[in-house]
Amino acid sequence: MAIRKKSNKNPPVLSHEFIVQNHADIVSCMAMIFLLGLMFEITAKAAVIFVTLQYNVTIPATEEQSAETISLYHYGIKDLATIFFYMLVAIIIHAIIQEYILDKINRKMHFSKTKHSKFNESGQLSAFYLFSCVWGISILVSENYISDPTSLWRDYPHTLIPFQMKFFYILQLAYWFHAFPELYFQKTKKEDIFRQIVYIGLYLFHIAGAYLLNLTHLGLVLLVLHYFVEFLFHISRLFYFSDERYQKGFSLWAVLFVLGRLLTLILSVLTFGFGLARAEDQQLNFSTGNFNILAVRISVLASICMTQAFMMWKFINFQLRRWREHSSSQPQSVKKKFVTAKGKNSRKERENGINGTVTSNGADSPRSRKDKSS
């Protein structure tokens, strides 16, 4: 993301610069239209589709399970409207964090263009990862997914999910969809656009896959695990920009990154290779949301393994590049010390002779000068 230069001149309305400078205000007006639609009876039915979650199912109370009615949700085509609205909200929050937090820090630290771009990226992602981790862990604890790992595959398909679970997935999809227009708003460099699109696409592919294939329990656990490791990396990079001597966070991140990839593979193999493979109902059924067939299990597990392998490959290249930079900087520092020491010796040689011996030029000893005068 490049630095946005503010100018005193007002750009033409609906021009490129006008949209970039005022995109938060424009998007806020769009979001307000949906909220105002809730106030009028004519537009309320349409506005509700964008603002609130759809496809709720009320389960009546029973003496065995619960004394109160429970509202659960499933997915449908109307979720696209909800994702669009919260994508607008994500753009607004992105602009607020950028203007009131990150830009103020950038002005104080006086970063270069490269560090400015990376600092903004890490600042935005660290805030999102922290929020998602805290929210995801609260869902895991409240639904007892941590205490009972078999809940990852037990009672599949998980077509009916609680409100917090569905809202979590809706916001995850909305956030990563909002990253596409942010490439335009933040004036991303052309050479970085493809990398960012691949990065965003991988998130959308896996989150949407877990949501549509009713693998929300496993997807939530893997997302929280991945987000925690990514949060540690970006928060370490923020500290590194403020003090380049800070390296402990990257060392801890490197260890947890490898452990995170290993734990992701273990949970995925347990879910698809043992849990779902031993389920009684293994027939494809779109009406009930059952995708537990061999082809789907192999495809999903293969995509997870390929993604983890790709991330490990990028991680190894990153570590090798850091090792080369560190090893190349050491000989330069040694050479610099050697040149400094050599400079000191040369000055001594000019004054006292080379290696302690007397030269035959004007730097003669007092005794030789006395012999010459005689």
Side-chain angles (χ1 to χ4, degrees), residues 4 46 80 85 126 135 152 186 189 209 243 255 295 326 347:
R4 292 177 292 176
L80 295 176
F85 174 78
S126 60
W135 190 9
L152 298 178
Q186 300 296 329
K189 296 180 181 179
D243 185 4
V255 176
H326 180 70
R347 287 194 295 270

Side-chain angles (χ1 to χ4, degrees), residues 217-244:
H217 295 186
L218 176 65
L220 178 62
V221 174
L222 296 184
L223 271 179
V224 170
L225 178 63
H226 176 74
Y227 282 170
F228 176 74
V229 177
E230 290 298 298
F231 167 74
L232 183 60
F233 169 76
H234 286 287
I235 202 67
S236 299
R237 192 158 71 163
L238 292 177
F239 283 114
Y240 173 77
F241 288 146
S242 61
D243 185 4
E244 294 187 354

Side-chain angles (χ1 to χ4, degrees), residues 153-356:
W153 60 80
R154 192 178 66 246
D155 298 330
Y156 180 85
H158 306 136
T159 53
L160 297 178
I161 56 178
F163 173 84
Q164 291 289 338
M165 178 82 78
K166 177 164 183 174
F167 198 31
F168 178 85
Y169 273 93
I170 291 293
L171 290 187
Q172 293 298 312
L173 293 171
Y175 180 86
W176 291 111
F177 271 117
H178 112 280
F180 286 118
E182 285 295 341
L183 296 177
Y184 172 75
F185 296 145
Q186 300 296 329
K187 296 182 179 180
T188 305
K189 296 180 181 179
K190 291 183 178 180
E191 56 269 21
D192 295 336
I193 290 179
F194 178 76
R195 178 182 64 86
Q196 292 287 347
I197 290 176
V198 172
Y199 183 76
I200 299 167
L202 285 174
Y203 275 105
L204 287 174
F205 175 76
H206 288 87
I207 295 172
Y211 186 64
L212 296 175
L213 296 177
N214 296 315
L215 296 169
T216 51
H217 295 186
L218 176 65
L220 178 62
V221 174
L222 296 184
L223 271 179
V224 170
L225 178 63
H226 176 74
Y227 282 170
F228 176 74
V229 177
E230 290 298 298
F231 167 74
L232 183 60
F233 169 76
H234 286 287
I235 202 67
S236 299
R237 192 158 71 163
L238 292 177
F239 283 114
Y240 173 77
F241 288 146
S242 61
D243 185 4
E244 294 187 354
R245 294 174 296 179
Y246 181 83
Q247 297 286 342
K248 296 180 180 179
F250 290 113
S251 302
L252 179 60
W253 165 76
V255 176
L256 292 180
F257 182 89
V258 177
L259 294 178
R261 306 285 72 78
L262 181 61
L263 188 56
T264 298
L265 292 176
I266 291 174
L267 292 175
S268 300
V269 171
L270 283 176
T271 302
F272 296 105
F274 295 93
L276 295 178
R278 297 180 179 180
E280 297 180 358
D281 188 5
Q282 297 191 17
Q283 294 182 354
L284 183 63
N285 192 334
F286 291 99
S287 60
T288 60
N290 187 10
F291 299 95
N292 186 18
I293 59 175
L294 181 61
V296 174
R297 292 199 304 270
I298 292 177
S299 299
V300 174
L301 186 59
S303 66
I304 294 175
C305 293
M306 290 176 62
T307 304
Q308 302 308 307
F310 173 74
M311 294 174 65
M312 279 301 301
W313 177 69
K314 298 285 288 184
F315 172 77
I316 292 172
N317 287 336
F318 173 75
Q319 295 296 331
L320 288 176
R321 185 170 64 252
R322 286 189 62 196
W323 178 76
R324 291 194 193 100
E325 292 175 354
H326 180 70
S327 60
S328 62
S329 63
Q330 284 184 345
Q332 292 179 359
S333 60
V334 173
K335 184 178 179 180
K336 187 176 181 181
K337 292 180 181 180
F338 176 75
V339 171
T340 305
K342 187 176 180 180
K344 292 180 180 179
N345 291 334
S346 62
R347 287 194 295 270
K348 291 180 180 180
E349 290 167 2
R350 288 193 295 270
E351 294 174 0
N352 300 326
I354 301 175
N355 295 331

Side-chain angles (χ1 to χ4, degrees), residues 3-12 15 17-18 21-22 187:
I3 300 176
R4 292 177 292 176
K5 297 181 179 179
K6 295 183 179 179
S7 59
N8 295 327
K9 297 181 180 180
N10 293 324
S15 64
E17 287 297 327
F18 178 84
Q21 292 181 13
N22 302 281
K187 296 182 179 180

